[in-house]
């Protein structure tokens, strides 16, 4: 791969991927917040970002 091509493969941030992976494991926002040491509001923001991203690419 050339230059920035490798970076373009990662469409989500590292944290968004972490949240999403826990979400598909049936973790609640409270569970995810506790595991990642972030607030539940931040978890919801990450979920929202992922959902908005999905609608932008379709």
């Amino acid at each position: 791969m050339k230059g920035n091509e490798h970076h373009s493969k990662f469409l989500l941030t590292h944290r968004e991927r972490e949240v999403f992976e826990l979400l598909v494991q049936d973790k609640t926002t409270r569970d995810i917040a506790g595991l990642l040491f972030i607030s539940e509001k931040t978890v919801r923001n990450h979920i929202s970002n992922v959902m908005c991203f999905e609608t932008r690419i379709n």
Side-chain angles (χ1 to χ4, degrees):
M1 284 185 199
K2 298 178 189 173
N4 290 336
E5 287 180 28
H6 177 66
H7 294 293
S8 66
K9 289 185 96 177
F10 300 107
L11 303 174
L12 303 176
T13 67
H14 177 73
R15 188 58 109 185
E16 287 169 344
R17 286 193 306 273
E18 286 179 315
V19 169
F20 189 73
E21 287 172 12
L22 291 168
L23 191 63
V24 298
Q25 294 174 24
D26 279 339
K27 302 290 187 199
T28 66
T29 55
R30 180 173 288 185
D31 294 336
I32 296 168
L35 289 166
L36 299 179
F37 304 101
I38 57 178
S39 73
E40 288 184 62
K41 174 69 171 141
T42 301
V43 172
R44 289 191 297 273
N45 286 341
H46 286 308
I47 293 168
S48 177
N49 290 343
V50 170
M51 300 307 285
C52 289
F53 178 80
E54 181 180 327
T55 59
R56 286 192 308 253
I57 62 169
N58 286 329

